[in-house]
Amino acid sequence: MSARSEPRRVEHVALDGERLHTAFVPGNGTPLLLCNDFAANLEILDEFALALGRPVLCFDLPGVGTSAEVTTMRRMPALAQLLAGLLDHYGLTRPVDVMGIGWGGLLAQQFAHSQRDRVRRLVLAATASGQLMFPGRLASLMRLARPDALSRVAPDAEQARTVFGGRRNDECQQIAQAMSRASAPTRRGYAAQLYALTGFSSLPWLHRLNVPTLVMAGDDDSIVPTVNARVLALLLPQARLEILRGAGHWFVLERTDEVVRMLDEFLEAKVAITAADQNSVF
């Protein structure tokens, strides 16, 4: 892993009545806006963000991590507008790359849809199209159905593998270590993310989301089954699908080196996705 030593710029940013905890990792190249999974604070992704070797902007939504309590309940389009304001705060006026993990993948899709001119390339990891998705394993979903679940559910590699999927304990140990940095959202912050999800589906407009997109999935994901990634890749006009064999939901933590290589190849490519790439999703 090629982690960097540059200091992060960590601050709380006031935007539209909210106060967001943010972290900006400096670097060279096009900045990457990183949208985290449901109820997950940005510290969970610390090592992944550092390993990316490019400018990375991470944030906690209201009520998550050390962001202030939610003042206004927002649907996905309003959250995308909030992210546009965050980019403005950091002076990122040129198109950025956007990556969404799990629930954050829904927000990333919405941002690319409603803020199209601000997105150069899109990465969707371990995610789906919204409420109309193929559900994950009930036992895993039930164990995550509490605001403080992430901080309690994976104290070791075996528990991480049981809940999130993944076939190797040594890789799942990376998940357990990251989850030790998890902090529970406020009840209102937890509810706000559920509120944003309610009724959301990207299916009606995915075919019009004409931005080069890398869709990534683990074939042992207990939370978001791989079929959801195949649906996304089938509907998106410029999609490339990458399946990580034996990886679970948090493959960005399990297989960081492999994921970074895939991202570098995709984000640094000189040409857009070809028809052959689109037709190879199965």
Side-chain angles (χ1 to χ4, degrees), residues 122-127 213-217 228-230 232-234 236 239-244 251 266:
L122 179 64
V123 180
L124 302 175
T127 192
T213 304
L214 176 63
V215 181
M216 308 178 75
N228 292 285
R230 297 191 184 278
L232 291 175
L234 181 65
L236 286 159
R240 175 182 299 163
L241 177 62
E242 293 284 357
I243 303 294
L244 287 82
F251 58 80
F266 172 69

Side-chain angles (χ1 to χ4, degrees):
M1 184 182 302
S2 58
R4 296 170 299 174
S5 59
E6 293 95 329
R8 300 187 306 165
R9 175 182 168 185
V10 179
E11 60 182 321
H12 285 79
V13 178
L15 290 171
D16 195 24
E18 309 289 357
R19 190 169 178 82
L20 305 185
H21 174 217
T22 68
F24 184 75
V25 180
N28 298 317
T30 302
L32 178 70
L33 177 65
L34 187 54
C35 304
N36 210 345
D37 207 345
F38 184 79
N41 51 295
L42 62 83
E43 286 81 7
I44 289 174
L45 295 176
D46 276 353
E47 294 181 359
F48 176 65
L50 287 171
L52 285 168
R54 64 182 67 247
V56 181
L57 176 56
C58 306
F59 61 92
D60 286 332
L61 288 170
V64 177
T66 62
S67 287
E69 182 61 287
V70 181
T71 63
T72 302
M73 292 289 190
R74 290 174 166 85
R75 299 292 190 187
M76 286 292 182
L79 288 177
Q81 185 62 43
L82 199 64
L83 293 190
L86 184 61
L87 294 182
D88 291 341
H89 171 82
Y90 278 93
L92 301 176
T93 57
R94 300 181 64 181
V96 299
D97 297 326
V98 180
M99 179 176 185
I101 302 168
W103 185 97
L106 308 181
L107 180 55
Q109 290 171 64
Q110 179 64 61
F111 187 80
H113 175 57
S114 57
Q115 304 285 332
R116 175 63 188 91
D117 292 343
R118 307 200 70 161
V119 179
R120 188 184 74 108
R121 297 195 180 181
L122 179 64
V123 180
L124 302 175
T127 192
S129 60
Q131 285 199 316
L132 298 176
M133 64 172 281
F134 293 89
R137 194 177 303 158
L138 181 60
S140 294
L141 296 176
M142 291 296 292
R143 291 184 65 177
L144 291 171
R146 294 180 47 163
D148 63 348
L150 288 182
S151 62
R152 297 172 177 267
V153 78
D156 54 42
E158 182 62 32
Q159 290 299 312
R161 188 165 65 88
T162 299
V163 175
F164 299 112
R167 299 200 182 112
R168 289 178 49 179
N169 273 1
D170 60 331
E171 293 177 343
C172 291
Q173 182 59 36
Q174 304 302 316
I175 302 175
Q177 291 175 357
M179 292 303 158
S180 69
R181 300 191 292 271
S183 60
T186 67
R187 290 189 177 275
R188 186 169 169 81
Y190 184 86
Q193 287 195 271
L194 289 176
Y195 177 80
L197 174 62
T198 303
F200 175 82
S201 175
S202 61
L203 290 176
W205 42 259
L206 274 179
H207 65 285
R208 299 196 303 271
L209 199 58
N210 196 26
V211 57
T213 304
L214 176 63
V215 181
M216 308 178 75
D219 71 355
D220 197 44
D221 190 336
S222 301
I223 310 302
V224 183
T226 311
V227 63
N228 292 285
R230 297 191 184 278
V231 170
L232 291 175
L234 181 65
L235 295 177
L236 286 159
Q238 295 193 65
R240 175 182 299 163
L241 177 62
E242 293 284 357
I243 303 294
L244 287 82
R245 307 298 176 189
H249 184 68
W250 280 103
F251 58 80
V252 299
L253 305 176
E254 290 175 74
R255 307 271 189 87
T256 298
D257 289 345
E258 183 178 357
V259 171
V260 169
R261 285 195 297 271
M262 290 180 177
L263 289 176
D264 284 345
E265 178 185 354
F266 172 69
L267 296 176
E268 300 303 325
K270 302 300 183 183
V271 296
I273 306 300
T274 66
D277 292 318
Q278 296 176 53
N279 294 332
S280 65
V281 298
F282 293 98

